[in-house]
Amino acid sequence: MLRFTIENQEKLNEIYFHDSSFSNYTYSYTERAIEMTCTNKYVKKEYSLRFNNVVYHELIGCCFWGENACKDIHWAGYSPCENVFAKLSELQANAEEETKDASFLLKTGWNTGVQYVPMLFEFFTGDTLTILAEEILVEIKEFP
């Protein structure tokens, strides 16, 4: 099993997700975890991914380049996703401003000092899936 954190996030780009089919997406709010499968019938590999301590996930599914299902991956890997970090920082600043008179500081998954790995999935439809997690686990299985 491969483990990706902030220290080795660029190594995500070494995994060949291109032409994989995306399936079995599940999100557990209580565990703050996402699990999914990417199956690549061309290279005969299945990638089981688990995202731990997820603070952000967003799917943009507008079929920009056609009406086929949003499941076939064109590219996936580490991406800086600066716009997501800026968005979360702004939301946190707004939350702190709204609670400045409260007797407690709002603690969220975003302002605890943890560093997050951004992973971006781009689909052949032009749609995208962005996930920020503290750690990403990838198990690679080969099949005949």
Side-chain angles (χ1 to χ4, degrees), residues 31-45:
E31 290 182 31
R32 310 291 298 170
I34 292 174
E35 292 184 356
M36 62 187 282
T37 304
C38 297
T39 305
N40 190 317
K41 64 183 179 183
Y42 303 105
V43 296
K44 299 182 189 256
K45 291 185 180 179

Side-chain angles (χ1 to χ4, degrees), residues 2-135:
L2 303 172
R3 180 177 180 262
F4 299 95
T5 63
I6 195 77
E7 288 85 22
N8 66 343
Q9 60 193 3
E10 294 86 7
K11 296 227 178 249
L12 273 168
N13 295 342
E14 295 175 8
I15 299 175
Y16 188 77
F17 289 107
H18 178 72
D19 284 331
S20 293
S21 293
F22 156 86
S23 63
N24 303 325
Y25 182 93
T26 59
Y27 172 62
S28 170
Y29 183 81
T30 55
E31 290 182 31
R32 310 291 298 170
I34 292 174
E35 292 184 356
M36 62 187 282
T37 304
C38 297
T39 305
N40 190 317
K41 64 183 179 183
Y42 303 105
V43 296
K44 299 182 189 256
K45 291 185 180 179
E46 181 179 271
Y47 308 100
S48 298
L49 291 92
R50 180 177 170 92
F51 299 82
N52 291 320
N53 195 14
V54 173
V55 290
Y56 180 88
H57 58 118
E58 175 182 49
L59 174 66
I60 299 175
C62 295
C63 296
F64 295 112
W65 299 333
E67 288 294 323
N68 52 343
C70 179
K71 67 175 183 134
D72 296 325
I73 297 171
H74 172 66
W75 182 87
Y78 161 75
S79 178
C81 298
E82 291 99 351
N83 60 331
V84 173
F85 285 99
K87 179 180 181 178
L88 288 173
S89 295
E90 182 179 334
L91 288 169
Q92 182 63 44
N94 290 343
E96 287 173 357
E97 179 64 26
E98 291 174 12
T99 60
K100 68 180 177 187
D101 295 328
S103 60
F104 63 92
L105 176 63
L106 184 66
K107 277 289 188 189
T108 67
W110 181 242
N111 70 344
T112 58
V114 175
Q115 293 184 305
Y116 298 95
V117 178
M119 186 164 181
L120 176 66
F121 294 83
E122 295 176 344
F123 300 95
F124 281 105
T125 56
D127 304 326
T128 59
L129 170 64
T130 307
I131 302 172
L132 262 63
E134 182 178 2
E135 110 182 315

